[in-house]
Amino acid sequence: MIDTESSPPRLRLALPNKGRLCQPALNLLRETGLVFEEDDRRLFAPCHNYPLDLLFVRADDIGEYTQDGVVDLGITGSNLLQEAGATVVHRLELGFGRCRLQLAAPNSAQITTAEDLAGHVVATSHPRITAEFFAARQLTVRLIEISGAVEVAPLLGVADAIADLVASGSTLATNGLKPLETLLESQAELVAHQNLAPDRLRLVEELALMIASVIAASRRRYLMLNAPSESVERIRSVVPGMGAPSVIQLADPGMVAIHAVVDAESIWQRLGPLREAGASSILVLPIEKLIP
Ligand code: AMP
């Protein structure tokens, strides 16, 4: 359990020690401004500029460690948290490690809905979530737990259908499987222990705000351009999300500079229409942190 002696608290954050969530989680912490050494073989890395120690553990164990207070915070997939049945506080969705738990059956099978699976065998990497799904539908299926290459189970004749993680769906298609239903949408999350002491909770809130500001900033860009004064309204209509831009008078009479924070996703499609609306000298800059 966490030491709550009188010395100033240091938070413990559990991160996946390998796999597809590991590097994006480390990148996010670095972008947040945390400074720590990275060493593949280490279990523990103290941050030099924040009272935080990183603990590298299996992604599957992070929910339970956070629930039990072995760590104050964890970063892992929501599928793993739900599969572990972990009771934790969900602080932030982190926007990476997106996937879904998909129920799928062979293209050739007569099965087209989850209901058609009553009395059949389903192979899954997530027995708890899958069992809850069928129980909620009052359907009796036999589940077999398989940890890797679940999608080959129907080809091998060991299952009639599968429930497995999918990102693009291309593995399903390659293995001749058709999607039936999505059991869960997942992404990496920051979660916290439920009963933190007030000084730890304060730090957790500060750290969550720092991380949230990096995520918010990564989805936006700072747009700067020059335009004739009469084009301001037309330019605003081209760029959605451009609430109350700064409009600055330039030395050239009749010309203004417009600065605004805009959504990163659609900015490239807007550049042509912006130029048609009279914009010139357009700059698109990254934002490091954004706190609304
Ligand atoms: P790992 O097996 O350690 O590489 O990580 C597996 C975790 O990454 C899963 O539990 C999900 O949270 C997440 N993930 C994201 N996309 C996928 C995917 N296409 N297949 C499996 N896991 C994924």
Side-chain angles (χ1 to χ4, degrees), residues 52-69:
L52 177 71
D53 294 320
L54 306 178
L55 199 68
F56 297 96
V57 294
R58 275 164 37 102
D60 318 45
D61 294 334
I62 291 175
E64 211 168 309
Y65 282 173
T66 311
Q67 169 187 280
D68 296 348

PDB file of all heavy atoms in Angstrom, residues 52-69:
ATOM      1  N   LEU A  52       6.721  12.254  -9.011  1.00  0.00           N
ATOM      2  CA  LEU A  52       6.049  11.135  -9.676  1.00  0.00           C
ATOM      3  C   LEU A  52       7.061  10.039  -9.967  1.00  0.00           C
ATOM      4  O   LEU A  52       8.145  10.316 -10.492  1.00  0.00           O
ATOM      5  CB  LEU A  52       5.445  11.645 -10.998  1.00  0.00           C
ATOM      6  CG  LEU A  52       4.763  10.608 -11.890  1.00  0.00           C
ATOM      7  CD1 LEU A  52       3.449  10.130 -11.288  1.00  0.00           C
ATOM      8  CD2 LEU A  52       4.482  11.199 -13.283  1.00  0.00           C
ATOM      9  N   ASP A  53       6.696   8.809  -9.625  1.00  0.00           N
ATOM     10  CA  ASP A  53       7.513   7.649  -9.985  1.00  0.00           C
ATOM     11  C   ASP A  53       6.718   6.787 -10.956  1.00  0.00           C
ATOM     12  O   ASP A  53       5.526   6.532 -10.731  1.00  0.00           O
ATOM     13  CB  ASP A  53       7.856   6.824  -8.736  1.00  0.00           C
ATOM     14  CG  ASP A  53       8.754   7.597  -7.794  1.00  0.00           C
ATOM     15  OD1 ASP A  53       9.665   8.297  -8.287  1.00  0.00           O
ATOM     16  OD2 ASP A  53       8.530   7.544  -6.570  1.00  0.00           O
ATOM     17  N   LEU A  54       7.383   6.378 -12.035  1.00  0.00           N
ATOM     18  CA  LEU A  54       6.726   5.535 -13.037  1.00  0.00           C
ATOM     19  C   LEU A  54       7.060   4.077 -12.731  1.00  0.00           C
ATOM     20  O   LEU A  54       8.218   3.743 -12.461  1.00  0.00           O
ATOM     21  CB  LEU A  54       7.210   5.885 -14.441  1.00  0.00           C
ATOM     22  CG  LEU A  54       7.095   7.357 -14.836  1.00  0.00           C
ATOM     23  CD1 LEU A  54       7.646   7.576 -16.236  1.00  0.00           C
ATOM     24  CD2 LEU A  54       5.642   7.827 -14.742  1.00  0.00           C
ATOM     25  N   LEU A  55       6.040   3.245 -12.795  1.00  0.00           N
ATOM     26  CA  LEU A  55       6.207   1.826 -12.518  1.00  0.00           C
ATOM     27  C   LEU A  55       5.804   1.079 -13.793  1.00  0.00           C
ATOM     28  O   LEU A  55       4.675   1.255 -14.262  1.00  0.00           O
ATOM     29  CB  LEU A  55       5.263   1.459 -11.369  1.00  0.00           C
ATOM     30  CG  LEU A  55       5.528   0.200 -10.603  1.00  0.00           C
ATOM     31  CD1 LEU A  55       6.812   0.344  -9.796  1.00  0.00           C
ATOM     32  CD2 LEU A  55       4.354  -0.063  -9.631  1.00  0.00           C
ATOM     33  N   PHE A  56       6.731   0.296 -14.369  1.00  0.00           N
ATOM     34  CA  PHE A  56       6.442  -0.394 -15.631  1.00  0.00           C
ATOM     35  C   PHE A  56       6.005  -1.823 -15.333  1.00  0.00           C
ATOM     36  O   PHE A  56       6.786  -2.624 -14.811  1.00  0.00           O
ATOM     37  CB  PHE A  56       7.682  -0.380 -16.530  1.00  0.00           C
ATOM     38  CG  PHE A  56       8.083   1.019 -16.916  1.00  0.00           C
ATOM     39  CD1 PHE A  56       9.056   1.709 -16.206  1.00  0.00           C
ATOM     40  CD2 PHE A  56       7.446   1.671 -17.955  1.00  0.00           C
ATOM     41  CE1 PHE A  56       9.403   3.011 -16.537  1.00  0.00           C
ATOM     42  CE2 PHE A  56       7.775   2.971 -18.296  1.00  0.00           C
ATOM     43  CZ  PHE A  56       8.757   3.646 -17.582  1.00  0.00           C
ATOM     44  N   VAL A  57       4.749  -2.109 -15.647  1.00  0.00           N
ATOM     45  CA  VAL A  57       4.177  -3.431 -15.327  1.00  0.00           C
ATOM     46  C   VAL A  57       3.346  -3.930 -16.513  1.00  0.00           C
ATOM     47  O   VAL A  57       3.177  -3.214 -17.503  1.00  0.00           O
ATOM     48  CB  VAL A  57       3.294  -3.368 -14.045  1.00  0.00           C
ATOM     49  CG1 VAL A  57       4.132  -3.049 -12.830  1.00  0.00           C
ATOM     50  CG2 VAL A  57       2.174  -2.362 -14.190  1.00  0.00           C
ATOM     51  N   ARG A  58       2.822  -5.139 -16.390  1.00  0.00           N
ATOM     52  CA  ARG A  58       1.973  -5.684 -17.475  1.00  0.00           C
ATOM     53  C   ARG A  58       0.685  -4.876 -17.601  1.00  0.00           C
ATOM     54  O   ARG A  58       0.038  -4.567 -16.587  1.00  0.00           O
ATOM     55  CB  ARG A  58       1.603  -7.134 -17.159  1.00  0.00           C
ATOM     56  CG  ARG A  58       2.642  -8.171 -17.578  1.00  0.00           C
ATOM     57  CD  ARG A  58       2.361  -9.485 -16.868  1.00  0.00           C
ATOM     58  NE  ARG A  58       0.935  -9.735 -16.746  1.00  0.00           N
ATOM     59  CZ  ARG A  58       0.233 -10.577 -17.511  1.00  0.00           C
ATOM     60  NH1 ARG A  58       0.831 -11.264 -18.453  1.00  0.00           N
ATOM     61  NH2 ARG A  58      -1.049 -10.755 -17.321  1.00  0.00           N
ATOM     62  N   ALA A  59       0.298  -4.572 -18.840  1.00  0.00           N
ATOM     63  CA  ALA A  59      -0.902  -3.746 -19.064  1.00  0.00           C
ATOM     64  C   ALA A  59      -2.134  -4.360 -18.382  1.00  0.00           C
ATOM     65  O   ALA A  59      -2.978  -3.643 -17.841  1.00  0.00           O
ATOM     66  CB  ALA A  59      -1.145  -3.592 -20.563  1.00  0.00           C
ATOM     67  N   ASP A  60      -2.207  -5.700 -18.359  1.00  0.00           N
ATOM     68  CA  ASP A  60      -3.371  -6.395 -17.771  1.00  0.00           C
ATOM     69  C   ASP A  60      -3.464  -6.201 -16.264  1.00  0.00           C
ATOM     70  O   ASP A  60      -4.533  -6.369 -15.687  1.00  0.00           O
ATOM     71  CB  ASP A  60      -3.297  -7.906 -17.998  1.00  0.00           C
ATOM     72  CG  ASP A  60      -2.833  -8.304 -19.367  1.00  0.00           C
ATOM     73  OD1 ASP A  60      -1.849  -7.716 -19.853  1.00  0.00           O
ATOM     74  OD2 ASP A  60      -3.449  -9.195 -19.947  1.00  0.00           O
ATOM     75  N   ASP A  61      -2.327  -5.927 -15.605  1.00  0.00           N
ATOM     76  CA  ASP A  61      -2.320  -5.842 -14.130  1.00  0.00           C
ATOM     77  C   ASP A  61      -2.627  -4.436 -13.616  1.00  0.00           C
ATOM     78  O   ASP A  61      -2.805  -4.244 -12.407  1.00  0.00           O
ATOM     79  CB  ASP A  61      -0.936  -6.259 -13.586  1.00  0.00           C
ATOM     80  CG  ASP A  61      -0.650  -7.726 -13.855  1.00  0.00           C
ATOM     81  OD1 ASP A  61      -1.617  -8.502 -13.989  1.00  0.00           O
ATOM     82  OD2 ASP A  61       0.540  -8.077 -13.950  1.00  0.00           O
ATOM     83  N   ILE A  62      -2.642  -3.451 -14.516  1.00  0.00           N
ATOM     84  CA  ILE A  62      -2.670  -2.044 -14.074  1.00  0.00           C
ATOM     85  C   ILE A  62      -3.988  -1.685 -13.376  1.00  0.00           C
ATOM     86  O   ILE A  62      -3.993  -0.957 -12.374  1.00  0.00           O
ATOM     87  CB  ILE A  62      -2.326  -1.118 -15.263  1.00  0.00           C
ATOM     88  CG1 ILE A  62      -0.841  -1.328 -15.600  1.00  0.00           C
ATOM     89  CG2 ILE A  62      -2.644   0.347 -14.955  1.00  0.00           C
ATOM     90  CD1 ILE A  62      -0.329  -0.604 -16.806  1.00  0.00           C
ATOM     91  N   GLY A  63      -5.101  -2.233 -13.873  1.00  0.00           N
ATOM     92  CA  GLY A  63      -6.387  -1.954 -13.228  1.00  0.00           C
ATOM     93  C   GLY A  63      -6.393  -2.397 -11.774  1.00  0.00           C
ATOM     94  O   GLY A  63      -6.803  -1.650 -10.875  1.00  0.00           O
ATOM     95  N   GLU A  64      -5.915  -3.610 -11.542  1.00  0.00           N
ATOM     96  CA  GLU A  64      -5.932  -4.163 -10.189  1.00  0.00           C
ATOM     97  C   GLU A  64      -4.962  -3.407  -9.267  1.00  0.00           C
ATOM     98  O   GLU A  64      -5.289  -3.122  -8.120  1.00  0.00           O
ATOM     99  CB  GLU A  64      -5.560  -5.631 -10.251  1.00  0.00           C
ATOM    100  CG  GLU A  64      -6.233  -6.444  -9.170  1.00  0.00           C
ATOM    101  CD  GLU A  64      -6.065  -7.928  -9.449  1.00  0.00           C
ATOM    102  OE1 GLU A  64      -6.362  -8.360 -10.580  1.00  0.00           O
ATOM    103  OE2 GLU A  64      -5.608  -8.639  -8.532  1.00  0.00           O
ATOM    104  N   TYR A  65      -3.777  -3.075  -9.784  1.00  0.00           N
ATOM    105  CA  TYR A  65      -2.809  -2.309  -8.975  1.00  0.00           C
ATOM    106  C   TYR A  65      -3.404  -0.964  -8.568  1.00  0.00           C
ATOM    107  O   TYR A  65      -3.197  -0.501  -7.451  1.00  0.00           O
ATOM    108  CB  TYR A  65      -1.520  -2.060  -9.763  1.00  0.00           C
ATOM    109  CG  TYR A  65      -0.581  -3.254  -9.838  1.00  0.00           C
ATOM    110  CD1 TYR A  65       0.556  -3.200 -10.640  1.00  0.00           C
ATOM    111  CD2 TYR A  65      -0.802  -4.407  -9.105  1.00  0.00           C
ATOM    112  CE1 TYR A  65       1.430  -4.271 -10.720  1.00  0.00           C
ATOM    113  CE2 TYR A  65       0.061  -5.483  -9.181  1.00  0.00           C
ATOM    114  CZ  TYR A  65       1.178  -5.413  -9.999  1.00  0.00           C
ATOM    115  OH  TYR A  65       2.038  -6.479 -10.071  1.00  0.00           O
ATOM    116  N   THR A  66      -4.142  -0.342  -9.497  1.00  0.00           N
ATOM    117  CA  THR A  66      -4.720   0.979  -9.203  1.00  0.00           C
ATOM    118  C   THR A  66      -5.868   0.826  -8.215  1.00  0.00           C
ATOM    119  O   THR A  66      -6.005   1.595  -7.264  1.00  0.00           O
ATOM    120  CB  THR A  66      -5.204   1.659 -10.505  1.00  0.00           C
ATOM    121  OG1 THR A  66      -4.163   1.593 -11.467  1.00  0.00           O
ATOM    122  CG2 THR A  66      -5.594   3.110 -10.265  1.00  0.00           C
ATOM    123  N   GLN A  67      -6.690  -0.175  -8.427  1.00  0.00           N
ATOM    124  CA  GLN A  67      -7.804  -0.438  -7.507  1.00  0.00           C
ATOM    125  C   GLN A  67      -7.285  -0.681  -6.087  1.00  0.00           C
ATOM    126  O   GLN A  67      -7.810  -0.126  -5.114  1.00  0.00           O
ATOM    127  CB  GLN A  67      -8.571  -1.671  -7.984  1.00  0.00           C
ATOM    128  CG  GLN A  67      -9.583  -2.180  -6.963  1.00  0.00           C
ATOM    129  CD  GLN A  67     -10.199  -3.489  -7.399  1.00  0.00           C
ATOM    130  OE1 GLN A  67     -11.104  -3.502  -8.209  1.00  0.00           O
ATOM    131  NE2 GLN A  67      -9.701  -4.587  -6.864  1.00  0.00           N
ATOM    132  N   ASP A  68      -6.217  -1.480  -5.969  1.00  0.00           N
ATOM    133  CA  ASP A  68      -5.722  -1.878  -4.650  1.00  0.00           C
ATOM    134  C   ASP A  68      -4.836  -0.825  -4.003  1.00  0.00           C
ATOM    135  O   ASP A  68      -4.397  -1.016  -2.871  1.00  0.00           O
ATOM    136  CB  ASP A  68      -4.946  -3.196  -4.751  1.00  0.00           C
ATOM    137  CG  ASP A  68      -5.854  -4.336  -5.198  1.00  0.00           C
ATOM    138  OD1 ASP A  68      -7.083  -4.144  -5.195  1.00  0.00           O
ATOM    139  OD2 ASP A  68      -5.331  -5.405  -5.572  1.00  0.00           O
ATOM    140  N   GLY A  69      -4.523   0.265  -4.715  1.00  0.00           N
ATOM    141  CA  GLY A  69      -3.693   1.309  -4.127  1.00  0.00           C
ATOM    142  C   GLY A  69      -2.208   0.992  -4.131  1.00  0.00           C
ATOM    143  O   GLY A  69      -1.433   1.662  -3.464  1.00  0.00           O
TER     144      GLY A  69
END
